[in-house]
Amino acid sequence: MIELKHLRTLQALRNTGSLAAAAAQLHQTQSALSHQFSDLEQRLGFRLFVRKSQPLRFTPQGEILLQLAEQVLPQIQQALQACHEPHQATLRIAIECHSCIQWLTPALDNFRQSWPQVVMDFKSGVTFDPQPALQQGELDVVLTSDILPRSGLHYSPMFDFEVRLVLAPDHPLAQQEQITPVDLANDVLLIYPVQRQRLDIWRNFLQPAGVSPALKSVDNTLLLIQMVAARMGIAALPHWVVESFERQGLVVTKTLGNGLWSRLYAAVRDGEQRQPVIEAFIRSSRQHACDNLPLVHDASRPGNPIPQPLSSPLL
């Protein structure tokens, strides 16, 4: 019977003191507003204000409804504001490899400045296979280069990056101009502890050529780099991971074939990508990476093609 528009109209009438002024404030005609009051009074069975009174005077019943408007309308406004504020107090994140920490940790500092109420929680126990935990509701965001078909997940493009061959400075291949799959046949390839089919270098470089070097798992990026520098093997890593080590002279990097590229995504449960906290986290992290990592391209912008398939995995 009483609608919010009626309460707002009563407030406008009290604040302006006349039907004409209230109609102007509400962007209505005076006749339309008068008809609205007449219709409401007829349905309620009592008058709300005294017509043609100077100053305008409300009836006792009108005063009661004005008090209701003063109580209800601010509460509704507060509730609507709360709807636009984050409901998530914690954002649970997992990443596919430890190397992401190098750029993601400082990116989170920027994010916290705008969202200080959100607690960032890293789930390290699912680092190398986090997407099932995301599907089951144990995580909120997974940074990944794997796209699982028919998974019920949404993948927001983050950035494209080159995967480079990493060698000791005195490795024989360090002086070679172009690296072919056969060049790696007799080396030990140091990898993260994942199935080889998830590796960019395996699926898109070695396997098509029928080359199968020995594999050795290493679950720590710094240790992996040290092992490469000590001539205990070679590796294929995102360029941003090894760029600082290469500048120090600890390792050298080479382009694999004509260039091996991959794309990083932020995976969330489908339907949750527009939640304010998640959307802000993805946008902030992408921007920080594109501003600070060497030789990466914003994958959210059209016109940024990469030479390799977009769904190739990170590792």
Side-chain angles (χ1 to χ4, degrees), residues 144-177:
T144 179
S145 285
D146 283 331
I147 293 182
L148 303 182
R150 298 178 298 277
S151 61
L153 301 178
H154 175 85
Y155 295 86
S156 295
M158 297 287 283
F159 57 84
D160 301 328
F161 59 92
E162 184 182 4
V163 177
R164 305 272 293 180
L165 181 67
V166 189
L167 306 161
D170 57 348
H171 192 287
L173 294 178
Q175 307 305 317
Q176 192 163 309
E177 280 298 318

Side-chain angles (χ1 to χ4, degrees), residues 13 73 93 121 163 313 315:
L13 188 59
L73 293 178
I93 305 169
D121 183 14
V163 177
L315 301 171

Side-chain angles (χ1 to χ4, degrees), residues 16-33:
T16 60
S18 71
L19 274 174
Q25 185 180 95
L26 297 171
H27 306 290
Q28 298 183 31
T29 64
Q30 182 175 345
S31 61
L33 194 62

Side-chain angles (χ1 to χ4, degrees), residues 2-289:
I2 292 289
E3 301 177 18
L4 290 180
K5 68 176 182 180
H6 298 140
L7 298 180
R8 294 192 180 99
T9 301
L10 281 171
Q11 276 196 334
L13 188 59
R14 181 201 58 191
N15 294 337
T16 60
S18 71
L19 274 174
Q25 185 180 95
L26 297 171
H27 306 290
Q28 298 183 31
T29 64
Q30 182 175 345
S31 61
L33 194 62
S34 178
H35 178 75
Q36 181 188 130
F37 272 118
S38 297
D39 180 65
L40 178 61
E41 288 174 334
Q42 184 174 2
R43 285 191 286 152
L44 292 174
F46 51 76
R47 294 284 186 180
L48 295 171
F49 62 96
V50 179
R51 265 65 171 176
K52 299 182 180 179
S53 57
Q54 291 293 334
L56 188 141
R57 182 164 53 88
F58 286 91
T59 65
Q61 294 89 341
E63 292 286 354
I64 293 173
L65 292 184
L66 270 174
Q67 292 177 13
L68 177 64
E70 292 171 358
Q71 294 172 1
V72 170
L73 293 178
Q75 292 177 1
I76 291 175
Q77 182 62 32
Q78 291 173 6
L80 291 175
Q81 290 176 351
C83 287
H84 293 284
E85 294 176 357
H87 288 230
Q88 271 178 282
T90 302
L91 193 61
R92 302 164 298 173
I93 305 169
I95 51 180
E96 274 196 339
C97 69
H98 296 298
S99 57
C100 285
I101 290 291
Q102 293 178 261
W103 65 267
L104 185 58
T105 302
L108 295 181
D109 291 335
N110 292 340
F111 177 75
R112 288 192 186 99
Q113 292 179 14
S114 300
W115 300 84
Q117 71 275 44
V118 179
V119 177
M120 314 302 294
D121 183 14
F122 281 103
K123 300 292 184 179
S124 59
V126 292
T127 300
F128 291 101
D129 191 20
Q131 295 197 58
L134 177 63
Q135 291 172 308
Q136 295 164 16
E138 300 171 12
L139 297 169
D140 300 306
V141 181
V142 169
L143 296 179
T144 179
S145 285
D146 283 331
I147 293 182
L148 303 182
R150 298 178 298 277
S151 61
L153 301 178
H154 175 85
Y155 295 86
S156 295
M158 297 287 283
F159 57 84
D160 301 328
F161 59 92
E162 184 182 4
V163 177
R164 305 272 293 180
L165 181 67
V166 189
L167 306 161
D170 57 348
H171 192 287
L173 294 178
Q175 307 305 317
Q176 192 163 309
E177 280 298 318
Q178 186 170 9
I179 304 297
T180 67
V182 176
D183 294 326
L184 311 184
N186 298 318
D187 249 307
V188 176
L189 182 62
L190 305 176
I191 65 171
Y192 291 114
V194 299
Q195 295 177 351
R196 64 183 184 179
Q197 198 59 36
R198 292 182 57 201
L199 304 172
D200 284 309
I201 189 171
W202 178 267
R203 188 169 71 232
N204 297 322
F205 189 69
L206 296 172
Q207 188 178 37
V211 175
S212 300
L215 305 178
K216 182 178 179 60
S217 294
V218 183
D219 63 2
N220 180 283
T221 300
L222 183 57
L223 176 59
L224 189 152
I225 294 292
Q226 292 172 336
M227 292 175 67
V228 169
R231 291 287 301 273
M232 298 174 66
I234 60 177
L237 294 172
H239 197 184
W240 85 75
V241 176
V242 294
E243 189 262 345
S244 63
F245 298 108
E246 188 170 23
R247 280 192 283 104
Q248 298 173 50
L250 297 176
V251 295
V252 297
T253 68
K254 292 287 181 177
T255 299
L256 289 160
N258 294 321
L260 183 60
W261 285 76
S262 189
R263 174 166 288 181
L264 188 71
Y265 297 88
V268 302
R269 284 176 293 280
D270 196 18
E272 297 184 6
Q273 61 267 27
R274 293 299 182 188
Q275 289 187 6
V277 173
I278 289 177
E279 191 174 29
F281 169 76
I282 293 173
R283 183 173 59 252
S284 175
S285 299
R286 179 195 298 124
Q287 186 63 52
H288 178 87

